[in-house]
Amino acid sequence: LYRAKAGMMPMPRRGSPPYQLADALSCATGATVTLTRGTLDTNSQAVTCWAFSSSNSNTRTLTLGSSTITLTGAGATVWDTSTATNLTLNAGTSTITASGAGPTLLFGSGLTFGSLTLSGSGTAQIVSGGSATFANITRAGTAAKTDAFSVGSGSWTVTGTFTVTGNSATNRVLVQSTTTGTARTITAAAVSLSNADFQDITGAGAASWTGTSLGDCGGNTGITFSPATTRYAVAAGNWSSTAVWSATSGGSAGASVPLPQDAAVLNASSGVGTITIDMPRACKDLTCTGYTGTLQRTLETWIFGSAALGAGMTLAGT
C-alpha cells in the first residue's frame, strides 16, 4: 500500500506494487501522472495534474472510485489512454474535468468512463478511435465566441446526459466532427442543450435532441433546430448585437442575432455605417443587395449557404 503525499508520486524502482492514494494529490504545474504498469487506485481522492497518460500494452489497472481528476493542461493532450490494450479501468462514479484551453483527450476503444466535463475555452477535442462509453458528458462554454467541442472517430455512448451549454445566445458552443463532411454519432439517454451549434453530428438514443437556441451548420441528423428565419440589418454595430437586427426590412431593432440556419439581409435600409461581423458563424445566406455601408470582419467567419455582395458596399477585414 502506497500512501501518497500531495504533489508527489514517485515511481517504484523495481516491480510494480499497487499504489493507493491516502490524500488528495496536487501535482506541480506541467506535471503528467503516468501509469505504465501495475495498479493505481486513486481511492476516491481528488487529483489535480497537467495531464494523465496510460497508453501502452502493459498489464495495468486504474481504479478511480468517486475521484475528480482535474486536468489543467492547455493546447495539449491531457488524457491519453489511446492504446487501451491490457488496461483495466474501474471508473466508478469518477469525473474527469479538463479545465484548460483547447485540450485533446484520447480515450481509446472499449473503455467505460464516469463523467467527462470540458470547461475551458477554445476547442476541446475528444477521440476514441473505437467505442467509448461515458456516464455523462458536459461541455460548458465560456464568455467567448470561439468555444467548440470536436468529436473524433469512434462510437460515442452516453448512458446519462449529454449537456452542451453556451455562455449566452452569442457566446455559443460549436459541436462538430473533427472531419468536415464526416458525421459522428453520439448516442445519449438524455440531452440538455442550449446556445449551441452543430455540424456533422448525428444525435441518437432515447433522447429527443431538442433544446434552446440550437444552430444548424449542416450535415446533422436527429437534432431539432430552432426554425430558420430572416434577419434584416437596420443599424450599424456589431453583428452580435440585437440593436442591429430587425424581423422586417427597415423595421424596429431588437430581433435575435442570426443563427447559422438563418438568412441575413443588408440593404438600403441598413444605413451607410459599419456592420462588424464578430461572430464565427454568421448565417446561412447573406444578401447585401442595395447596401452601401461597410461590412467588416474581425475573425474567421463562416457562411453556410450563399453570399451576394452589393455593388456599392465595402468589404473589409482580415
Side-chain angles (χ1 to χ4, degrees):
L1 179 67
Y2 174 73
R3 297 175 64 84
K5 294 182 179 180
M8 298 179 64
M9 183 172 286
M11 298 304 294
R13 294 184 179 180
R14 295 180 180 177
S16 300
Y19 280 73
Q20 184 182 68
L21 300 185
D23 303 294
L25 175 65
S26 182
C27 298
T29 300
T32 295
V33 175
T34 300
L35 174 61
T36 303
R37 58 173 57 85
T39 298
L40 172 61
D41 180 357
T42 61
N43 194 29
S44 297
Q45 300 292 331
V47 177
T48 301
C49 55
W50 178 265
F52 174 84
S53 178
S54 185
S55 180
N56 58 73
S57 299
N58 298 321
T59 300
R60 61 214 192 279
T61 299
L62 176 62
T63 299
L64 299 177
S66 59
S67 289
T68 295
I69 312 298
T70 301
L71 308 168
T72 61
T77 298
V78 299
W79 181 276
D80 189 357
T81 49
S82 53
T83 300
T85 305
N86 296 322
L87 171 62
T88 299
L89 173 62
N90 302 311
T93 58
S94 62
T95 298
I96 298 170
T97 298
S99 61
T104 296
L105 299 97
L106 309 176
F107 286 107
S109 179
L111 298 177
T112 297
F113 296 86
S115 296
L116 170 65
T117 298
L118 307 168
S119 59
S121 61
T123 299
Q125 177 173 290
I126 65 172
V127 179
S128 74
S131 60
T133 300
F134 299 86
N136 303 284
I137 295 179
T138 300
R139 177 59 167 111
T142 68
K145 295 181 174 64
T146 53
D147 287 348
F149 169 44
S150 190
V151 183
S153 61
S155 174
W156 302 91
T157 300
V158 181
T159 58
T161 304
F162 178 66
T163 301
V164 181
T165 305
N167 175 267
S168 69
T170 52
N171 294 325
R172 308 174 64 79
V173 172
L174 171 63
V175 183
Q176 62 184 347
S177 167
T178 54
T179 304
T180 301
T182 300
R184 311 294 191 200
T185 298
I186 301 174
T187 302
V191 298
S192 178
L193 310 172
S194 62
N195 298 323
D197 301 330
F198 294 83
Q199 185 173 27
D200 297 318
I201 297 297
T202 297
S208 175
W209 282 62
T210 60
T212 303
S213 186
L214 302 186
D216 183 5
C217 300
N220 302 295
T221 305
I223 305 172
T224 300
F225 294 100
S226 304
T229 189
T230 300
R231 289 291 177 254
Y232 297 85
V234 292
N238 287 332
W239 193 276
S240 61
S241 173
T242 57
V244 170
W245 300 104
S246 174
T248 58
S249 178
S252 299
S256 60
V257 175
L259 291 174
Q261 63 268 36
D262 293 342
V265 177
L266 283 61
N267 57 23
S269 298
S270 302
V272 296
T274 297
I275 297 175
T276 301
I277 304 180
D278 60 344
M279 297 285 290
R281 299 172 295 282
C283 59
K284 182 177 181 181
D285 298 318
L286 173 65
T287 302
C288 300
T289 305
Y291 178 58
T292 56
T294 297
L295 187 61
Q296 171 85 37
R297 292 190 306 137
T298 60
L299 75 173
E300 181 177 313
T301 301
W302 288 87
I303 294 172
F304 297 95
S306 62
L309 302 181
M313 66 177 288
T314 300
L315 183 64
T318 57

